[in-house]
Amino acid sequence: MKKNFRYTLLLLSMLAMAACDEGFDDLNINKTAATSVNPVFSLNNSVINASFVATTVQYEIGIVQQMISPNSGVLTGANFNQDNRDATQASWQRYYRSTIRFAVDVILATKDQPTRSNLYNMARIWKAHAMMVMTDTYGDVPYTEAGKGYTDQVLLPKYDSQQSIYTDIIKELTEATAALDAGKTIETADVLYGGNITQWKKLGNSLLLRAGMRLVKVDAALAQSTVAKAVQGALIDANADNCVIRHDPNYVNGIGQMLNSTEANNFYLAKPFADHLKNTSDPRLGAIAVRYVGVKSGSEQTPAKANIDPAVQVGMPLGLDNSTAVAQATKDGLASFYDYSQVDRTRMVKNTAPMFLVTAAQTQLLLAEAIQRGWATGNVGQTFQKAVRLHMEQCALYDAKSAIASSAIDAYLTANPFDASKALEQINTQYWIASFLNGPEAFANFRRSGFPVLTPNPFPGKAIKGAFIRRLTYPNSEISVNKANVDQAVGRQGADDLDSRVWWDK
């Protein structure tokens, strides 16, 4: 009897356990979680992460002498002609971990979906842009295996030569731009252009023009043929078509965030940049600069001391440290080095300021140079003036208080006419100004064109003294984890330092 009771009890227990397990799997499924992601949102993630990181101020913007800091420590970079891999890795990590990764995800997800062909080709264009930024900055970089860590478990990507990268970038931009079709599915959720095919085609052609002009020193024939392809289609020629990342209080401008917080009192307009604008009576100085007149400390930089009058702006000379900057300020008749001019944190580098990546002004200046070289048709002087006007009008898009009156633009163009005998210098000096706050592009165009004419930062630090920084170094994270592939790139390209030149800069 006892034995039967035990068997009965065991059976009831098993039945109870079975009852408890029934429906267990269903209970543990999150019915609100996404099981797949529309690839257009992955493209959006790629796009917004292309906004440049704050450390471009330390290096690229400093190298081209637009902003500089006398402070060392975490800010060490172009100011002291020194390698700071904690800073040089920031762009690498942002672009490879987000911008390039998500663009590759979209390409893989849509390449076999005819109904998403526009999205597929938009992602190809966007990846090409991101890869140009990376290879122009560092030289040989992962390309064919880039972004495949998540999809193909390629955790140690090989590095491709910059020459092969540019060959494929040109191919991708040419094919993808031509394949965009307004008669097919329009990706209205696209955060950049709302799926507008005309604007995406202009971006593709403008990037192709940029790629072609990048090669003028190393392969003039390829440069010319690439430019010829680009100008056959429509280019970005209005600010409404600019490739721009828009920021808001939830997704802030990285440069603005840095300059409005920890480093608010540490970066100043460099003397070569401020002097050029001031000496040519350029109204953009009033749109860009602020000087906290007479202050002796960062805490004294209050709105009451702010002055945006171009006449009072004073740029900080290069080659100074925290100590010598004090003596230089006294020599310049200032109360302290905090008295030098800065980019206005309440206008052009506020937290919500837009980040311009490819603009009408830049594109029309490249077109002007192409015309000057005989690679495109048109009036070089008119195209040049149009480009300058476009950038001055673009200033209002940062903040209404940075708007420049049409009369001031007219006066500037009259006082600074186009001179055909100095065409390349004038065009590329304006490109330097039009690329302000786009450090990677300003740095790249400065190296390939040689303009504006600048004197190297005199601060000792680089192996080759009296020369400009030519590239940024590979991140420590790559050296420690992917050393074999890094070493192969170094063996092909040259020493991993600030003096080695990338392929198109030979």
Side-chain angles (χ1 to χ4, degrees):
M1 186 70 178
K2 286 184 177 179
K3 190 178 288 186
N4 289 338
F5 176 75
R6 289 180 187 143
Y7 286 148
T8 302
L9 185 62
L10 178 60
L11 181 60
L12 289 171
S13 297
M14 292 173 68
L15 289 171
M17 290 175 65
C20 289
D21 286 343
E22 188 176 351
F24 183 78
D25 289 341
D26 290 338
L27 288 172
N28 282 276
I29 293 175
N30 184 346
K31 296 181 179 180
T32 63
T35 57
S36 63
V37 176
N38 186 330
V40 72
F41 298 127
S42 292
L43 180 62
N44 288 345
N45 210 340
S46 177
V47 168
I48 64 173
N49 276 288
S51 186
F52 297 122
V53 296
T55 53
T56 58
V57 179
Q58 282 173 251
Y59 271 99
E60 293 96 316
I61 293 175
I63 294 167
V64 299
Q65 302 181 4
Q66 292 176 330
M67 274 194 273
I68 203 74
S69 173
N71 298 318
S72 57
V74 296
L75 297 184
T76 296
N79 53 348
F80 297 144
N81 277 327
Q82 290 181 3
D83 190 6
N84 177 359
R85 294 183 192 234
D86 287 336
T88 61
Q89 73 179 357
S91 291
W92 180 287
Q93 292 179 346
R94 166 72 75 82
Y95 266 60
Y96 274 112
R97 293 178 182 180
S98 297
T99 302
I100 294 167
R101 169 203 163 186
F102 286 116
V104 170
D105 284 352
V106 177
I107 291 169
L108 293 174
T110 58
K111 66 178 182 179
D112 296 322
Q113 293 188 37
T115 59
R116 306 301 291 275
S117 63
N118 280 331
L119 181 58
Y120 169 65
N121 288 300
M122 287 154 56
R124 292 171 73 190
I125 291 170
W126 196 249
K127 181 195 171 192
H129 168 257
M131 289 306 314
M132 279 181 67
V133 173
M134 287 293 95
T135 189
D136 290 345
T137 302
Y138 299 95
D140 293 5
V141 294
Y143 181 77
T144 55
E145 295 182 349
K148 295 185 177 180
Y150 291 87
T151 57
D152 299 326
Q153 289 71 57
V154 179
L155 303 179
L156 302 175
K158 70 176 183 180
Y159 284 50
D160 299 87
S161 70
Q162 186 176 67
Q163 183 174 6
S164 67
I165 292 171
Y166 257 89
T167 297
D168 200 65
I169 283 175
I170 291 168
K171 177 189 78 68
E172 286 292 283
L173 289 171
T174 302
E175 292 179 358
T177 304
L180 289 169
D181 187 347
K184 296 182 178 179
T185 303
I186 301 300
E187 302 289 345
T188 56
D190 154 40
V191 73
L192 188 61
Y193 289 128
N196 186 303
I197 296 303
T198 298
Q199 290 180 307
W200 270 101
K201 278 183 173 288
K202 287 183 178 182
L203 175 60
N205 289 325
S206 299
L207 286 170
L208 188 61
L209 173 62
R210 180 180 286 188
M213 296 303 294
R214 200 77 91 221
L215 308 183
V216 293
K217 288 200 298 185
V218 70
D219 192 336
L222 179 58
Q224 182 175 358
S225 63
T226 302
V227 168
K229 292 178 185 176
V231 299
Q232 286 176 0
L235 299 170
I236 296 176
D237 61 355
N239 284 322
D241 297 326
N242 285 342
C243 174
V244 54
I245 310 301
R246 295 170 178 82
H247 298 95
D248 61 29
N250 296 312
Y251 179 66
V252 298
N253 181 308
I255 293 176
Q257 183 180 39
M258 179 187 74
L259 296 180
N260 278 283
S261 55
T262 56
E263 312 305 338
N265 318 122
N266 290 328
F267 283 95
Y268 295 83
L269 283 180
K271 180 176 175 62
F273 186 64
D275 280 1
H276 179 82
L277 297 178
K278 194 170 184 177
N279 293 340
T280 57
S281 299
D282 194 319
R284 283 171 289 194
L285 183 60
I288 293 170
V290 64
R291 181 177 157 216
Y292 296 92
V293 179
V295 302
K296 297 180 179 180
S297 67
S299 61
E300 291 183 20
Q301 291 182 345
T302 61
K305 298 288 182 69
N307 192 326
I308 63 173
D309 182 355
V312 306
Q313 305 307 321
V314 181
M316 177 178 282
L318 281 80
L320 305 175
D321 60 19
N322 203 267
S323 175
T324 56
V326 175
Q328 183 64 46
T330 300
K331 183 178 177 180
D332 290 338
L334 306 182
S336 71
F337 73 72
Y338 297 100
D339 197 0
Y340 284 109
S341 297
Q342 297 176 290
V343 184
D344 195 336
R345 302 190 293 269
T346 69
R347 295 183 295 157
M348 199 161 278
V349 289
K350 60 186 178 183
N351 281 349
T352 57
M355 183 76 73
F356 292 92
L357 306 185
V358 186
T359 68
Q362 291 170 327
T363 303
Q364 293 302 305
L365 285 166
L366 291 178
L367 177 59
E369 181 173 342
I371 297 170
Q372 176 67 23
R373 291 179 179 274
W375 297 353
T377 59
N379 185 299
V380 60
Q382 290 177 1
T383 305
F384 170 81
Q385 288 196 330
K386 176 181 178 180
V388 175
R389 183 179 297 277
L390 281 165
H391 185 249
M392 290 190 179
E393 292 172 346
Q394 180 187 314
C395 289
L397 303 179
Y398 288 100
D399 189 275
K401 294 179 181 177
S402 285
I404 298 173
S406 294
S407 57
I409 299 174
D410 293 340
Y412 174 84
L413 292 173
T414 299
N416 298 274
F418 177 72
D419 182 349
S421 67
K422 300 178 180 178
L424 294 183
E425 180 176 2
Q426 278 190 310
I427 290 167
N428 287 290
T429 298
Q430 285 296 328
Y431 201 94
W432 176 57
I433 302 169
S435 298
F436 181 60
L437 298 176
N438 183 338
E441 184 58 22
F443 180 38
N445 197 70
F446 170 66
R447 285 175 290 160
R448 75 98 191 164
S449 72
F451 296 113
V453 177
L454 300 171
T455 301
N457 182 354
F459 203 98
K462 288 175 66 272
I464 302 177
K465 296 180 180 179
F468 286 95
I469 293 171
R470 307 307 298 192
R471 64 177 284 273
L472 301 193
T473 53
Y474 296 127
N476 284 327
S477 56
E478 279 292 290
I479 295 170
S480 62
V481 175
N482 197 15
K483 189 174 186 302
N485 286 316
V486 171
D487 287 347
Q488 187 179 56
V490 170
R492 181 173 56 233
Q493 178 172 261
D496 184 24
D497 59 29
L498 303 175
D499 294 312
S500 291
R501 292 172 179 252
V502 301
W503 166 71
W504 54 250
D505 188 31
K506 302 298 185 185

